[in-house]
């Protein structure tokens, strides 16, 4: 008995293909978006025992400063819910800054936002980009835990700066999409 595709079978196959394609299309765009906003507390004073941003390398014979090309800093800032350093702790900001512009005007940053709060405990968001004071935007290049497959962006601006003590509070907004 010869089998042949009747127009009805062909229509059914076509419908199945359309529905499957639509499901994939929906899945591809059905990302969960999370917006976070919090504050970094930074102490950059050279020699301050409480410093959280410390230069660890630079060009021999040059001062290791933010405006000197080649200076490498390691950073570990507390991140809290509000600008008040005593407000609930949300995360740590741990990574590196490198003054990566020959004119000293920009630094390249690569860091992990390592959550310690209850909601995202032990999950991370990885950020990378160039800081451009006063308003910086960097890329979210990945994440772990609740932020697996994360992508997005983060913006920051200085909320408070005491130039004498080099204490600063930086507002950080992060928008991430996860699948
Ligand atoms: C960071 O937070 C911890 C408490 O979790 C606190 O003991 C420490 O002093 C804070 N560090 C700075 C530099 O504010
Ligand atoms: C985060 O996880 C660690 C290890 O599982 C646990 O000790 C800690 O209490 C948790 N913190 C919060 C705020 O849930
Ligand atoms: C963060 O988001 C808040 C609320 O939308 C906004 O007022 C603030 O300007 C944003 N800050 C940054 C650094 O993007």
């Amino acid at each position: 008995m010869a089998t042949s595709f009747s127009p009805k079978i062909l229509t059914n196959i076509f419908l199945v293909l359309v529905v499957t394609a639509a499901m994939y299309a929906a899945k591809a765009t059905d990302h969960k978006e999370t917006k976070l906003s919090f504050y970094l507390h930074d102490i950059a004073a050279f020699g301050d025992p409480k410093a959280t941003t410390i230069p660890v390398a630079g060009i021999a014979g040059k001062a290791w400063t933010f405006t000197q090309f080649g200076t490498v800093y390691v950073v570990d800032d507390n991140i809290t819910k509000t600008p008040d350093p005593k407000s609930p702790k949300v995360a740590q900001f741990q990574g590196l800054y490198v003054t990566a512009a020959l004119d000293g005007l920009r630094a390249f940053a690569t860091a992990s936002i390592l959550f310690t709060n209850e909601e995202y405990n032990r999950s991370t968001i990885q950020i990378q980009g160039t800081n451009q004071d006063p308003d910086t935007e960097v890329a979210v290049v990945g994440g772990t835990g609740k932020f697996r497959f994360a992508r997005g962006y983060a913006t920051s601006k200085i909320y408070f700066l005491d130039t004498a003590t080099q204490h600063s509070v930086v507002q950080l907004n992060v928008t991430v999409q996860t699948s």
Side-chain angles (χ1 to χ4, degrees):
M1 191 174 73
T3 52
S4 67
F5 289 114
S6 70
K8 190 167 172 5
I9 288 173
L10 282 176
T11 305
N12 283 345
I13 289 172
F14 179 71
L15 277 178
V16 166
L17 286 176
V18 167
V19 169
T20 310
M23 277 165 64
Y24 274 104
K27 197 164 189 272
T29 54
D30 187 19
H31 291 302
K32 185 180 169 222
E33 188 165 289
T34 308
K35 282 180 183 287
L36 303 162
S37 186
F38 31 59
Y39 295 83
L40 270 79
H41 299 272
D42 190 73
I43 304 169
F46 194 71
D48 185 329
K50 283 185 158 176
T52 61
T53 296
I54 298 176
V56 293
I59 295 175
K62 300 275 190 186
W64 294 358
T65 65
F66 272 118
T67 51
Q68 171 57 54
F69 177 71
T71 310
V72 181
Y73 289 81
V74 182
V75 56
D76 182 1
D77 286 345
N78 285 350
I79 297 179
T80 60
K81 203 172 165 162
T82 77
D84 180 351
K86 294 192 174 68
S87 65
K89 184 94 147 295
V90 177
Q92 294 297 128
F93 183 91
Q94 297 177 334
L96 299 173
Y97 299 126
V98 182
T99 306
L102 280 164
D103 62 9
L105 292 180
R106 308 204 199 302
F108 172 79
T110 178
S112 293
I113 297 168
L114 173 62
F115 289 88
T116 55
N117 63 346
E118 203 180 328
E119 189 173 10
Y120 300 118
N121 194 14
R122 300 172 65 82
S123 294
T124 71
I125 289 174
Q126 310 302 320
I127 63 130
Q128 186 174 299
T130 299
N131 87 337
Q132 304 183 72
D133 285 343
D135 298 312
T136 287
E137 178 171 334
V138 294
V140 168
V141 293
T144 63
K146 288 188 174 166
F147 296 110
R148 280 179 184 173
F149 300 114
R151 56 186 201 136
Y153 62 95
T155 52
S156 69
K157 68 178 170 213
I158 293 168
Y159 177 84
F160 164 84
L161 171 65
D162 179 349
T163 45
T165 61
Q166 289 293 300
H167 282 226
S168 62
V169 179
V170 175
Q171 185 185 39
L172 187 66
N173 287 358
V174 186
T175 301
V176 290
Q177 289 182 348
T178 43
S179 43

